[in-house]
Amino acid sequence: MNPVYSAINMSKQYPSFTPPSAPIATPLVQLWLLRMLVRLGAHAKFILRGGFHCDRIAEAIGLGHMIDTDGEEFSPAIAKSTLRRLHLQAEANAIARPETLNVDQPLASNLQGLANLVGLSNDEQRILSFVVQLHNNRLLDDAADMIGPLTSLKAIQSLSDLLDIPLENVRKAFESQGTLSGSGLVSLDRRNACQLRGKLDLLSDTFSDGMISSEATALSLLKDMVRPCTPPDLSLADYTHIQLMVDVLKPFLEKAIQTSRKGVNIFIHGAPGTGKTQFVKCMAHALGVNLFEVASEDEDGDPVGGPYRLRAYRAAQSFFSTARACILFDEVEDVFAAHDHNSRSSAQSHKAWINRCLEENAVPAFWISNSIDCLDPAFVRRFDLIFDIPVPPRSQRLRILDKHCTATIGHTIRNRISENTQLAPAVVAKASSVIRTVESSLQPAQLEAAFELILANTLKAQGYKPVNKDPSIGATVRYNPSCTNADADLADLATQLKQTQSGRICLYGPPGTGKTAYGHWLAEQLEKPLMVKKASDLISKYLGETEKNLANAFRDAEKDNAVLLIDEVDSFLQNRESATRSWEVSQVNELLTQLEAFNGVFIASTNLMGQLDAASLRRFDLKIRFDYLRPAQANDLFERYCTQLNLNDDGSNSLELAGQHKLKQLNTLTPGDFAAVARQSRLRPLRTQQALVNALAQECALKPGARQTPIGFLVA
């Protein structure tokens, strides 16, 4: 500080100086105002030729008598001289009576409580106190504006002069390692030159109000930024499809919390609605810890940007460092993902801090995203665990439906809805909540229809196929491997694949024999999503695009830990010896290359086994033939569909026996024929078992090689 403004010198020069009028500000605020005007040079804009720039500031510092002096000419020189004397006297009073500079309640108590909670030094407390009052006191704000725009360095120097804090201490307070800045309480804008208030940004818009409140708490100070999570709607028992990860994560977190281990970070990804947030809530509940979420929007519903969410996270880490707690950072795309190719994400812009954060955070943190792609590889290695939460298998989806749905939603409807492979727990929970709300206003049939409509609209909005409302789905018998004529034990194969988690299987045989259906059933048994790709999905008219599509299919399947099924694989694995174009060879080569590198479960299906490249067949672990139904299998499916379609026996045992006999004569019958007839029943209802037999016979008659003459027993 300039010696000319030494408090000792001031007291000697002006021992009895008394301001002409009483100030309207506290001694501390008055001192800050005078220092801004004198030390920081704001007087140049404050004292004008004909008066003061702000009369309220003049009154506050004791210059009120010079306002509107009854026609007397205003003297800038006298005003400046009086201002200097007022400043020197205030400095002298600060030395003589330091107790007058104490912060008023409840701010003083809140500052002390926050200092104890976060670990602020005395200088950091003084800086925070000033910034809070700068944001709350119009006089301070107006006076600071008259200082003019400040760079970061000038802002630090100004705080040093204003608060009589050594310059180096102020500088350290605003370093990322410092408690004040590192906790996110006060941030220094280092990019723009602006007014002092704009350079010193508080944690949130409501933080300064909270600090002067008599009811301030840690949570109230974090208002709009961090909030306690609501209790979970599910339990860990709803996540048996990731049981191994549950068994690893729970004891890991228990030990980490018990030992106060630092740098515990868990990254969870998965499609929207798969229950990622619910899983974290369930885990926190099972551990018996408080869970706090970094808000993505404020109380008004306005989004909170990535940089501010990072500050909120920093504050939460500081506030709850000694509590038995975990922190949830959902929708991390705001932080880790760039808006476009020409910009950097918030995390990339604060890479060094993010790295330290992931290595030194005191409170275990869960980071949630819809996709792992947003995560910079440089950050990946700093997470303790990274895993995805897929859509639950069908059995799990059905249990979730049974848990959330009211009695008005029948089991048949639930069973049909559970067939949707994209049906996530959160989607079910939301739809069920709506139905429970309107349950008393609608009839049971209306409630079921409304439930399906809500689910369908949500799935459609997510980019998925809606819940299939085709009545035939309810009439289609669920797949059973015992009703498939294959030259391998399909159930045993599923058991083996569940152990190995990898395999390359080729399924071949006539259309409708259950090849694709087996793929769906197998994925369900393995509790993995199924990714089905048809030739039309992959083949492109552009050179090289088909190969790229094939590569992407394998990549996506591996990323999602999905069973990959390529239907009509003969479109890609044609015999290379007969190829006439280079791209025909390159497609085969690309598929074989991807197949060899793929570590998951791959299924290829074809109706044209004889056209496949001979070399490609060696790449498959198993080649399984699917054939027409054996008589016992056909009879079993017939009984199942009769039950499902509620078909009677016409009251004639002889007619029933005749139908059964004619069924045995259909030696090209497939499971697909039964499914096709069930779909046809929407337009041509089947009312008897005999009608079902007749419809099946018609399906068989249309197959290549079948007799085209009418079959005698088709007449009812």
Side-chain angles (χ1 to χ4, degrees), residues 500-514:
T500 62
Q501 294 293 306
S502 66
R504 295 171 288 191
I505 317 297
C506 180
L507 311 180
Y508 67 99
T513 49

Side-chain angles (χ1 to χ4, degrees), residues 284-540:
H285 179 76
L287 293 169
V289 301
N290 295 313
L291 182 65
F292 300 97
E293 180 180 6
V294 177
S296 57
E297 58 183 31
D298 59 25
E299 287 190 333
D300 297 327
D302 297 324
V304 180
Y308 283 95
R309 297 189 72 198
L310 280 179
R311 288 183 58 189
Y313 174 79
R314 289 153 55 186
Q317 282 289 343
S318 298
F319 280 37
F320 306 123
S321 60
T322 59
R324 185 174 171 83
C326 288
I327 296 174
L328 168 62
F329 201 122
D330 206 347
E331 300 178 14
V332 302
E333 296 89 345
D334 294 346
V335 171
F336 287 106
H339 296 294
D340 53 63
H341 297 294
N342 299 320
S343 63
R344 296 194 302 169
S345 67
S346 298
Q348 291 169 331
S349 301
H350 302 81
K351 199 167 187 176
W353 179 87
I354 288 290
N355 288 338
R356 284 196 306 274
C357 173
L358 296 175
E359 294 171 352
E360 302 173 1
N361 56 297
V363 184
F366 293 92
W367 306 75
I368 296 179
S369 173
N370 293 332
S371 174
I372 190 68
D373 295 338
C374 72
L375 194 61
D376 191 315
F379 299 134
V380 170
R381 65 182 180 86
R382 290 179 165 83
F383 288 93
D384 298 282
L385 291 171
I386 299 178
F387 63 95
D388 73 312
I389 297 183
V391 174
R394 183 182 178 277
S395 59
Q396 190 82 353
R397 297 196 298 270
L398 187 56
R399 284 198 297 270
I400 293 171
L401 282 164
D402 290 340
K403 178 179 179 178
H404 285 279
C405 292
T406 64
T408 54
I409 308 298
H411 182 74
T412 301
I413 300 295
R414 302 180 201 179
N415 195 63
R416 174 158 59 85
I417 291 174
S418 69
E419 296 281 355
N420 193 292
T421 58
Q422 303 298 336
L423 192 65
V427 176
V428 174
K430 290 290 185 183
S432 299
S433 176
V434 175
I435 294 302
R436 284 194 297 271
T437 304
V438 301
E439 190 171 15
S440 61
S441 304
L442 299 177
Q443 298 296 320
Q446 293 177 301
L447 288 171
E448 289 185 343
F451 186 60
E452 289 191 79
L453 179 62
I454 294 170
L455 291 176
N457 289 340
T458 302
L459 291 172
K460 183 179 179 181
Q462 291 179 318
Y464 302 133
K465 292 182 178 179
V467 176
N468 197 331
K469 299 184 68 173
D470 189 341
S472 67
I473 297 298
T476 300
V477 172
R478 281 196 44 82
Y479 180 83
N480 188 330
S482 66
C483 295
T484 302
N485 185 11
D487 61 0
D489 189 329
L490 300 180
D492 182 66
L493 175 59
T495 302
Q496 295 300 319
L497 287 173
K498 199 164 188 176
Q499 294 178 357
T500 62
Q501 294 293 306
S502 66
R504 295 171 288 191
I505 317 297
C506 180
L507 311 180
Y508 67 99
T513 49
K515 301 182 294 295
T516 302
Y518 177 69
H520 284 268
W521 181 84
L522 180 61
E524 186 176 303
Q525 300 307 302
L526 300 178
E527 298 186 346
K528 296 176 180 289
L530 177 68
M531 184 180 296
V532 180
K533 296 293 184 181
K534 297 182 178 180
S536 57
D537 300 324
L538 301 171
I539 294 178
S540 172

Side-chain angles (χ1 to χ4, degrees), residues 165-178:
I165 298 175
L167 183 64
E168 186 61 24
N169 291 7
V170 180
R171 194 190 315 273
K172 288 182 178 180
F174 287 102
E175 291 178 351
S176 56
Q177 297 92 335

Side-chain angles (χ1 to χ4, degrees), residues 662-674:
K662 294 169 184 177
L663 182 69
K664 293 178 182 179
Q665 296 179 351
L666 304 179
N667 55 15
T668 61
L669 203 57
T670 69
D673 295 331
F674 283 92

Side-chain angles (χ1 to χ4, degrees), residues 531-606:
M531 184 180 296
V532 180
K533 296 293 184 181
K534 297 182 178 180
S536 57
D537 300 324
L538 301 171
I539 294 178
S540 172
K541 63 181 180 180
Y542 299 106
L543 190 64
E545 281 296 314
T546 299
E547 291 86 341
K548 185 182 296 184
N549 293 338
L550 284 167
N552 290 338
F554 279 92
R555 182 202 63 190
D556 293 343
E558 191 158 6
K559 180 182 68 174
D560 297 338
N561 193 27
V563 175
L564 177 60
L565 189 156
I566 295 184
D567 203 2
E568 304 168 359
V569 76
D570 46 274
S571 302
F572 308 100
L573 293 180
Q574 295 180 4
N575 196 327
R576 285 172 288 187
E577 293 181 359
S578 60
T580 59
R581 301 176 179 85
S582 61
W583 55 264
E584 293 177 322
V585 177
S586 66
Q587 288 179 11
V588 176
N589 293 338
E590 180 64 32
L591 181 53
L592 295 181
T593 299
Q594 295 294 335
L595 184 58
E596 290 181 345
F598 187 59
N599 293 320
V601 177
F602 173 77
I603 300 174
S605 69
T606 179

